[in-house]
Amino acid sequence: MRYSPIGIFDSGVGGLTIYEEIHKLLPNDSIIYLADSKNAPYGDKTKKEIIDISVKNTDFLLSQGCKLVVVACNTASTNAVKYLREHYDIPFIRVQPAIKPAALNSKTKVVGILATKGTLKSELLFETSQRFAQGVEVIEQVGEGLVTMIESGKMHSPEMTDLLNKHIKPMLDKNIDHLVLGCTHYPFLTDQIKEIVGKGVAILDSGEAIARQTKVILGEEELLNLEQGDIRRIFYTNKDSQVMQKILDEFDEGFEAIKINF
Ligand code: DGL
């Protein structure tokens, strides 16, 4: 099992921001990435739909021999990981919005979180805010339209700038000093968001923390691959492979987006 790949899935290309961190920290591990872009956005779906989709994605990754699955999607993590852990034998890593560090370090005692509707209305997010953000106001904003725009290849477009301004300006008016990116698609927008929020607002995502957690769990389960062997990196998508290919090209490692019927 040590030599088996790590599986990662997301509702599309967003989880590639998590892939990048995992790949840096675990260079000896093979990775199979599944972009379920056909079903994006997950954020508007019901909990039951998100669980069903997550089961399907997990079954696919298991059929590819994965030893662990990283649910590189906040919406699926907050809604489906509990179910997955109860029904499968392998370890699951979930992503979680970085509310804790944001609340801990906030001077204004007001922090913003930009995430999908599915994440913001989840129990897990509610519990996280209750537990770690006592005495801090958490301004929640649904990033309506952002995932769809990224998935349709309009990451850098005037429409994207307008949409980001529309979502973020109201949070700035409330004096946030930390902005949590609670969706794995959003780190692709960090430079554009920086332009809007300026230097006074720290932007937090959870990519590094997830990679560290993946390493810890692989270690505990004696699944860490310590040898430099035959490393495979495979990227599957069930929709437009061009959007994914453009991002993979930026990694500059000659990766190919493979279109599958799934
Ligand atoms: N990357 C997913 C997340 O982190 C996007 C969810 C969606 O498809 O709406 O939530």
Side-chain angles (χ1 to χ4, degrees):
M1 280 298 264
R2 277 184 186 278
Y3 309 110
S4 304
I6 293 172
I8 304 179
F9 79 80
D10 178 40
S11 60
V13 293
L16 289 171
T17 61
I18 304 286
Y19 158 81
E20 273 188 286
E21 300 298 336
I22 292 179
H23 153 79
K24 266 190 243 159
L25 202 65
L26 296 163
N28 295 333
D29 270 285
S30 292
I31 296 177
I32 297 184
Y33 184 94
L34 173 64
D36 181 27
S37 298
K38 201 171 75 184
N39 287 309
Y42 286 1
D44 298 332
K45 298 195 187 312
T46 63
K47 188 178 173 84
K48 163 95 175 59
E49 284 170 328
I50 297 168
I51 290 177
D52 290 348
I53 288 172
S54 301
V55 164
K56 203 168 161 233
N57 294 342
T58 300
D59 287 342
F60 174 80
L61 290 170
L62 287 181
S63 75
Q64 304 290 308
C66 291
K67 61 183 173 184
L68 166 149
V69 170
V70 180
V71 181
C73 169
N74 288 264
T75 315
S77 290
T78 44
N79 287 282
V81 165
K82 190 166 175 278
Y83 180 95
L84 296 174
R85 285 185 176 150
E86 283 166 5
H87 290 82
Y88 290 88
D89 271 348
I90 52 150
F92 287 89
I93 307 295
R94 68 171 186 208
V95 292
Q96 235 181 326
I99 289 182
K100 186 179 172 185
L104 266 177
N105 295 310
S106 175
K107 302 240 171 353
T108 61
K109 298 291 170 210
V110 191
V111 303
I113 170 165
L114 188 63
T116 68
K117 201 171 11 170
T119 295
L120 291 178
K121 65 173 197 234
S122 68
E123 253 164 67
L124 189 65
L125 190 93
F126 176 75
E127 282 164 18
T128 310
S129 298
Q130 288 287 310
R131 192 155 160 225
F132 298 114
Q134 287 294 335
V136 173
E137 191 183 355
V138 180
I139 313 283
E140 297 182 357
Q141 173 65 51
V142 176
E144 196 67 58
L146 297 176
V147 168
T148 307
M149 217 176 263
I150 292 171
E151 287 295 323
S152 53
K154 291 191 191 146
M155 193 136 64
H156 303 283
S157 63
E159 296 103 290
M160 179 61 93
T161 311
D162 289 348
L163 202 52
L164 284 173
N165 271 300
K166 185 171 152 245
H167 291 330
I168 294 171
K169 286 263 165 73
M171 291 196 271
L172 293 178
D173 292 342
K174 296 208 165 129
N175 205 22
I176 59 163
D177 63 356
H178 285 72
L179 176 59
V180 177
L181 304 184
C183 168
T184 55
H185 279 71
Y186 301 167
F188 286 129
L189 308 170
T190 299
D191 287 346
Q192 297 176 70
I193 294 175
K194 266 189 197 150
E195 292 274 318
I196 297 169
V197 301
K199 286 206 173 80
V201 176
I203 301 169
L204 304 186
D205 68 65
S206 29
E208 265 182 62
I210 302 312
R212 280 198 304 272
Q213 176 69 357
T214 306
K215 190 171 179 182
V216 168
I217 299 298
L218 284 176
E220 282 176 14
E221 302 282 332
E222 299 186 356
L223 289 172
L224 258 185
N225 184 1
L226 306 168
E227 288 168 35
Q228 182 122 32
D230 175 22
I231 301 162
R232 289 177 298 145
R233 298 281 153 85
I234 302 174
F235 300 88
Y236 291 118
T237 176
N238 56 10
K239 210 178 166 194
D240 180 357
S241 59
Q242 278 175 4
V243 173
M244 193 187 206
Q245 189 61 56
K246 221 167 148 196
I247 296 171
L248 293 180
D249 287 346
E250 281 167 28
F251 296 165
D252 210 15
E253 298 199 52
F255 296 139
E256 190 196 340
I258 302 170
K259 171 95 200 282
I260 47 166
N261 283 327
F262 170 76

